[in-house]
Amino acid sequence: MEIERKWMVKGWPEGLPLREEFAMRQGYISVRPTVRIREEALTGGRTDYILCFKSGGGLAREEIERSIDKELFDDLEYKIIAKPLIPKLRRSYTLPDGSVLEVNHVDEGQPTEFWYAEVEYPTVESALAWQPESCGLGDYLKDEVTNQPGQSMGEYWVETRG
């Protein structure tokens, strides 16, 4: 089960310790249900290839991820998807309460470029109780889009690559 809240943001947050950074590329085989492939290259480290299935949308949904090899990733990218994948840079930050803020910069340098942030939670109750102000992020995380239709990367895929 994936439980996360999502906000539209501008730029990287200031004053938070950086945990890690990934350069990613992702594409969609299907958006309903979500079937996605993603290449995740850790800055200075490994590159992973992931096949992901997600149910529904909103605050809580089922998510199944499996590692795949580069050969299968390439076959899915070029033979099945056959469209440019979405590039994004993700930086993860440790928050004062121990949770992790993931900030994504999507389609950098393109007219469609945008930023969004997510925080994952262990339970729905903890997600609903958490307030950005508790970590000094009230101004940064002010545009929440968690339960708004059309705010998923799958929907963005359809709009820009569909």
Side-chain angles (χ1 to χ4, degrees):
M1 177 70 66
E2 175 186 60
I3 303 165
E4 67 184 8
R5 289 173 60 187
K6 181 177 179 178
W7 296 265
M8 303 310 292
V9 297
K10 294 181 179 159
W12 305 112
E14 295 181 12
L16 294 174
L18 180 65
R19 288 174 50 131
E20 58 191 5
E21 178 182 80
F22 285 90
M24 300 178 169
R25 295 182 320 120
Q26 66 187 51
Y28 292 78
I29 297 166
S30 169
V31 294
R32 286 187 193 93
T34 297
V35 180
R36 176 193 76 209
I37 60 169
R38 180 188 285 160
E39 175 185 74
E40 300 179 348
L42 177 64
T43 300
R46 70 189 186 284
T47 298
D48 293 319
Y49 302 92
I50 310 293
L51 177 62
C52 179
F53 304 86
K54 293 186 179 192
S55 68
L59 179 64
R61 61 184 171 173
E62 291 298 327
E63 177 182 63
I64 301 168
E65 290 187 339
R66 295 292 184 266
S67 293
I68 58 174
D69 62 30
K70 183 172 180 359
E71 182 180 1
L72 177 55
F73 181 90
D74 289 344
D75 282 347
L76 292 169
E77 177 182 3
Y78 297 112
K79 297 176 182 178
I80 303 300
I81 295 174
K83 296 176 184 172
L85 301 186
I86 298 170
K88 68 181 184 178
L89 187 63
R90 170 178 288 167
R91 291 182 181 170
S92 298
Y93 301 89
T94 302
L95 298 177
D97 66 2
S99 55
V100 176
L101 174 72
E102 294 179 339
V103 181
N104 299 273
H105 187 191
V106 179
D107 269 346
E108 181 178 3
Q110 301 300 313
T112 54
E113 117 181 88
F114 69 98
W115 302 75
Y116 72 95
E118 299 173 321
V119 176
E120 291 195 22
Y121 306 88
T123 66
V124 169
E125 295 75 22
S126 63
L128 295 173
W130 190 82
Q131 296 300 316
E133 296 80 11
S134 69
C135 292
L137 294 171
D139 289 335
Y140 184 70
L141 300 178
K142 61 185 174 200
D143 184 13
E144 185 166 1
V145 296
T146 301
N147 290 312
Q148 293 180 18
Q151 295 296 320
S152 71
M153 284 299 295
E155 294 296 328
Y156 178 72
W157 171 265
V158 171
E159 290 173 19
T160 62
R161 275 48 173 197

